[in-house]
Amino acid sequence: MPVPLAKKNTAFSKLIAKLDASAEHRAGMAEAREWVAKEVLVEEGDTLRTLRLKRNLNQTQFAALLGTTQAQVARLEKGNTDPQRSTCKKLREVLGISADKLEEILDRQEKAYELKAKK
C-alpha cells in the first residue's frame, strides 16, 4: 500500500531539518537552495519562493521571520492567497524589497496559480 503524501512530506521535512541543523551539511544545503532558485526555478523569475531560497531559508525558517506558519508561507508562495497589509510589510522587511517589487511578485504568482488551476 502506498505511503500517504502527508507522511512522505513529513519524512522529507524531517530529513531537511536534520541536514540544516548539521554543521557538516549546512553549507551544502545553502548552496543547494541557491542553485534551485537560480537554475531550476529560473523561468519563474523573482517569486517569494526564489527569493526565500536565495536567502537560504526553508519555509519554516521564513515563517518564523514573518511571524506566521509554514502552511501560510506555502499558501503565499503558491499564489492562491491575498496577504494582509501587515504580512506584506513583513515580507518587504524580511526580503529587503520595495512595495512595488512585492506587488509585481504577488501578481506574477497569482497569474501562475490561475494558469495551473485552468489545467
Side-chain angles (χ1 to χ4, degrees):
M1 176 172 252
V3 177
L5 186 57
K7 286 193 178 192
K8 286 182 184 179
N9 287 341
T10 299
F12 184 75
S13 295
K14 286 180 181 178
L15 173 63
I16 296 299
K18 184 177 179 180
L19 292 171
D20 280 336
S22 164
E24 180 181 354
H25 297 100
R26 195 172 298 126
M29 292 298 292
E31 284 181 35
R33 285 190 178 98
E34 189 171 346
W35 179 84
V36 167
K38 289 181 177 179
E39 301 296 330
V40 177
L41 303 175
V42 68
E43 290 182 18
E44 282 188 15
D46 282 341
T47 63
L48 294 178
R49 177 169 59 171
T50 60
L51 293 178
R52 171 183 59 78
L53 290 170
K54 287 177 184 176
R55 283 159 180 78
N56 185 30
L57 297 169
N58 62 37
Q59 286 184 339
T60 303
Q61 294 164 331
F62 192 43
L65 292 173
L66 295 173
T68 191
T69 64
Q70 177 276 326
Q72 178 63 10
V73 168
R75 285 189 291 274
L76 288 167
E77 289 183 355
K78 192 173 181 182
N80 66 338
T81 187
D82 194 12
Q84 294 181 354
R85 186 175 180 193
S86 59
T87 301
C88 289
K89 181 180 178 188
K90 289 177 189 174
L91 285 166
R92 291 192 317 268
E93 290 170 357
V94 170
L95 296 173
I97 58 176
S98 68
D100 289 340
K101 181 69 173 178
L102 180 60
E103 184 175 355
E104 174 189 319
I105 287 169
L106 294 175
D107 285 346
R108 181 180 301 118
Q109 291 181 176
E110 183 180 2
K111 288 175 186 170
Y113 175 74
E114 289 171 355
L115 283 174
K116 287 179 184 177
K118 288 180 181 179
K119 289 183 180 182

